[in-house]
Amino acid sequence: MRKNPVFLIAILPLLYVLTTFYVPIILMALESLKAGGIQVYTSVLTNKDFTSIILYSAAIAFITTLITLVLAFPAAYYLSFGVENPQTKNKFLVAFTVPMLINFLLRAYALMNILSLVNLTNTIQGMIIGMVYEFLPFMLLPIYSTLERIERRFLEAAETLGAKPWQAVLRITLPLATPGIASGVILVFLMAFTEFVVPGLLGGVYGYTVGYLIWDLFLKYRNWPVGSALAFIVTLTSIFAVYFYTRYGGGND
Amino acid sequence: MIRKVLKIYTYLLLAFIYAPLIFVIIQSFNVSKYPGDLKGFTLRWYSELLLDSEVLTAALNGASVALISSILSTILGGLAAYYFARRRSSPLVDNFFYAPIVIPEIVESVSLLMLYYYVGAELGFWTVLIGHTAYNVSYAYVALKPQFRLTATNVEDAAYTLGAKPFDVFVRVYFPLALPGIISSLLITFSMSFDDFIKTAFTTGPGFKTLPLVIWARAARGRATSELNALATILIAVSLLTSYIYTRQVFKGKED
Amino acid sequence: MVRGVSVRVEDVSKTYKDRGTTTALKSVKLDIRAGELFSILGPSGCGKTTLLRIIAGLLKPDAGRVFFDELDVTDKPAYERPIGMVFQDLALFPHLTVYKNVSFGLEIAGWPKDKAERRVKEVLELVRLPFDVFAHRRISQLSGGQQQRVALARALARDPSVLLLDEPFSHLDYKIRIELIRELKRLQRETGVTMIYVTHDQNEAMMLSDRLAVMYEGVLQQVGSPLEVYTRPANEFVASFLGEANIISVEARGGVAEVKGVKIDLSLFSPELSGYDGRVLLFFRPEDVKLSGDPSRMIQLEAVVIEKTFLGPLTKIVLDGWGDVKFEALAPTRESWGIEVGERVRMYLEPSSVKIFTR
């Protein structure tokens, strides 16, 4: 009765996202194969310069993820278990989420001001501080949301069975929080791995990451096949990461 | 006891997150060029901005792209939310629209560049606009989905049983209820587009610059200047506001 | 003054998939009289809500027709039918005040403001919500019971010929539910509108209805007044769905059922059953099992008392009789004082209170 015309209209956004997001990614994969097929991938992966950059980015991402996890978890725990009032919880949530939506560039730039005060610009430490700064909310939210979903009754039950608070946390809360932690870790690692704005602004010489490499390959060296290959590798890793994210954590923004 | 410690810690963390932003804002009014050296209040840096033609053109460029993109993406995202949120379509549809948000921006930017190359498009205003909108549709969808979910139940049927024809239902029931979502969608997509850096950098053509590009070019190698501070402050302030409204909206929808 | 119209459902069939569950209506036939309070009773998933939505015009049947006052409305969508509907979750417009909710249908119909206002006042009065206090309140400020009344008022504002209610009180507290059911009956008497009420709660249905229909798995099991359906259920399902029931399965040969040496002549209950061969179900209600009686004209059962539960004015006694067959009796407490658990007793049944169902 009223189904048909509406469906046609709904097709529009689908088509738009399809052509401007999904199709281009396929094109990118195809482009990478242009210069001689699959070999491009093997050549990229065996090239020492490339792999060292990839490893470097991975190391930076790893350290960033670790630090972010350590910093975010206590706060997420407090928000979920320490705050009783749901409106206060909401306020905190908003407070942590709002900066997330401000462009990385602006936040990195803002941080740069403070870093120059303590002479940390153009250093690795400064870069990592910047990365942690950017990604903190991305780690905090999934962990928080998983912690929220843990039924308080489990902890009460544990209490009636003689478990002391720290035992309950160790044996019940942490294991149940693992999906959230996992998704936060995956998300942050992925973003940190491909990031180049923060390293570029704050890292100086040390800021040459995979992201920056792709940037150069495209806009400086105009080596599109290799650039696409690299980008596609990154895409594949993200798809896997997203798959795990939606399966074990996710469910929010 | 532990709770107190955690509470203080959380507040400290929040302070850590907001401190740089507040710092930049304060710095932009600082007479002294050197951070940490508060000399006095001035609007000098802002007035210098107004005299900078590159900044002004970039601002105009960015604003026009952002305006059109926000309207387009809100309409598209709204249509999608209207249609798909009302039926328990499937997580598949949700994932379809969430993907652009989760995939690293650089991948999107690169692939867009490919697309433009293949179709032989000239890089500039339009290519930037299309790229921004692709990304913004997802944000609009996220902003509007909870709105339509709320009205998904029998409210629509109730209106039918009261004699309202489908068009009436849309105008009298859906639209007013979706209004907050529409507004926040417009705001967030505008600011996302206006602040955007990576996509714009890849898909823009000669001569078409936006403000973030200007900041990047000038702040290269870790040098912050007062004029840039003023610029950044404006962008940050606008961003904070829209982000706040948007986040309130999205979390309100989750409270059910 | 009778304002309602008759509703006739003719051979309506529908297969309907909603969120993974499929309901199927199979050739449903209903004849609802004008001004009647008619309930459709059945367990979840039996199709009663689907049927209601078809009558409302929110759903199109795969086959069959719907008639309002002998006018075929099957092809008319909901907004072209003279109906009012109250939903299970109320579906009040959250962004509108009480006044605007109630006047919604009137606004759509283009009523002039003063006429509409008078009508809103009238109908709010009808549901006992004082206009001055409630008209400009937001929905979120009202209690569950008050919201319910607003939903009723909204549905009645347009002066519908048929009022449809889909389990409207299921989420309310017991006390408020009873109160609202009484209000509903009063409303129906005052307005004379035809009411079709869907529920899974047999007590509600029996309290409210002039007549009711029992539905199961998309098929109408029985239609009749509450008393009829309760005392003379048409089949095993209806018997056990309404009230408590004892249902005992026995094998009959030549019209006689034999259970552990006790012979029961089935023609006692129904002359058609003399000479019957096959499995039959004996059905009787616990309250019909008497502790004393006249053995010459009543059926006598010997049984052992297994359980005795005090329920206030009545006592529930579970007995084991006819060998391994348990059944329940509900007797006045004063009469059951002397009975002990483990005791062997004699219970009596009037033949007319027993029904036989053949499989």
Side-chain angles (χ1 to χ4, degrees), chain C residues 193-219:
Chain C
V193 70
T194 309
M195 272 195 200
I196 307 181
Y197 187 92
V198 159
T199 181
H200 65 273
D201 185 329
Q202 32 138 337
N203 292 315
E204 272 183 15
M206 290 199 281
M207 246 195 277
L208 270 177
S209 343
D210 295 325
R211 286 195 307 152
L212 57 89
V214 180
M215 238 178 121
Y216 182 59
E217 288 187 345
V219 178

Side-chain angles (χ1 to χ4, degrees), chain C residues 62-87:
Chain C
D62 296 334
R65 320 294 297 167
V66 178
F67 298 88
F68 281 20
D69 224 6
E70 291 315 310
L71 248 153
D72 190 343
V73 296
T74 321
D75 296 317
K76 290 204 177 165
Y79 47 88
E80 284 179 26
R81 299 192 192 187
I83 56 171
M85 188 157 174
V86 179
F87 296 82

Side-chain angles (χ1 to χ4, degrees), chain B residues 88 154 157-158 160-161 172, chain C residues 53 79 89 95 107 158:
Chain B
R88 299 289 174 99
N154 290 316
D157 285 340
Y160 285 127
T161 64
R172 287 168 175 272
Chain C
R53 289 182 149 245
Y79 47 88
D89 60 355
H95 59 297
E107 269 182 52
R158 284 204 311 166

Side-chain angles (χ1 to χ4, degrees), chain C residues 315-334:
Chain C
T315 295
K316 183 164 87 166
I317 306 173
V318 182
L319 304 129
D320 184 351
W322 281 336
D324 305 326
V325 173
K326 286 212 200 85
F327 62 97
E328 285 178 16
L330 206 59
T333 301
R334 282 183 203 284

